[in-house]
């Protein structure tokens, strides 16, 4: 069983910053891509940023230049540094981890962490 736990959400004013963390633990041989998604009320879940095992990153257009994704492979942890936050960034942020174990690929989600940006 693999557990994925996010932390770091909260309430911040527009223009402020937050750093989200996501740690994966359990029976993991290796981790492939690690991704951050978000879901605002009444909207579909969307990909915010992703990072591969080799460090290649991709971002949604709406967050390019403001958010930075990084990972610490030794700790099975991925981070999302969010700067210049806007009210439209308000959402529940979910971590998604793609990993390999028992000769198979799996994906696991965290429980989500709320980010609220006030205007």
């Amino acid at each position: 069983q693999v557990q994925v736990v996010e932390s770091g959400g909260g309430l911040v004013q527009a223009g402020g910053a937050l750093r989200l963390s996501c740690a994966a633990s359990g029976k993991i041989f290796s981790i492939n891509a690690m991704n951050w998604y978000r879901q605002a009320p009444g909207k579909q879940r969307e990909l915010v940023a992703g990072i591969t095992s080799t460090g290649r990153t991709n971002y949604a257009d709406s967050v390019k230049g403001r958010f930075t994704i990084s990972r610490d492979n030794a700790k099975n942890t991925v981070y999302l540094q969010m700067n210049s936050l806007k009210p439209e960034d308000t959402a529940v942020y979910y971590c998604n981890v793609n990993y390999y174990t028992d000769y198979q690929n799996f994906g696991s989600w965290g429980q989500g962490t709320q980010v609220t940006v006030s205007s």
Side-chain angles (χ1 to χ4, degrees):
Q1 189 77 8
V2 171
Q3 293 183 331
V4 177
V5 179
E6 303 105 334
S7 61
L11 173 64
V12 65
Q13 288 189 331
L18 284 174
R19 188 192 194 209
L20 305 183
S21 300
C22 166
S25 62
K27 191 177 182 182
I28 299 171
F29 179 77
S30 64
I31 293 181
N32 302 319
M34 304 180 85
N35 305 294
W36 285 100
Y37 286 77
R38 68 185 180 187
Q39 188 166 18
K43 295 189 176 181
Q44 288 189 330
R45 190 172 297 189
E46 64 173 353
L47 177 65
V48 176
I51 185 167
T52 68
S53 58
T54 58
R56 189 162 59 182
T57 60
N58 63 284
Y59 297 92
D61 288 342
S62 59
V63 306
K64 282 181 181 177
R66 300 188 297 120
F67 291 10
T68 302
I69 189 171
S70 60
R71 64 190 280 173
D72 184 334
N73 290 329
K75 296 181 179 179
N76 288 345
T77 298
V78 62
Y79 306 96
L80 186 67
Q81 178 66 44
M82 306 185 294
N83 298 329
S84 302
L85 282 161
K86 304 175 181 180
E88 51 263 44
D89 294 318
T90 296
V92 178
Y93 284 70
Y94 296 91
C95 177
N96 170 257
V97 176
N98 296 292
Y99 62 96
Y100 179 79
T101 193
D102 290 338
Y103 307 102
Q104 295 182 74
N105 292 303
F106 297 90
S108 285
W109 291 87
Q111 80 288 350
T113 185
Q114 176 70 47
V115 171
T116 303
V117 184
S118 63
S119 57

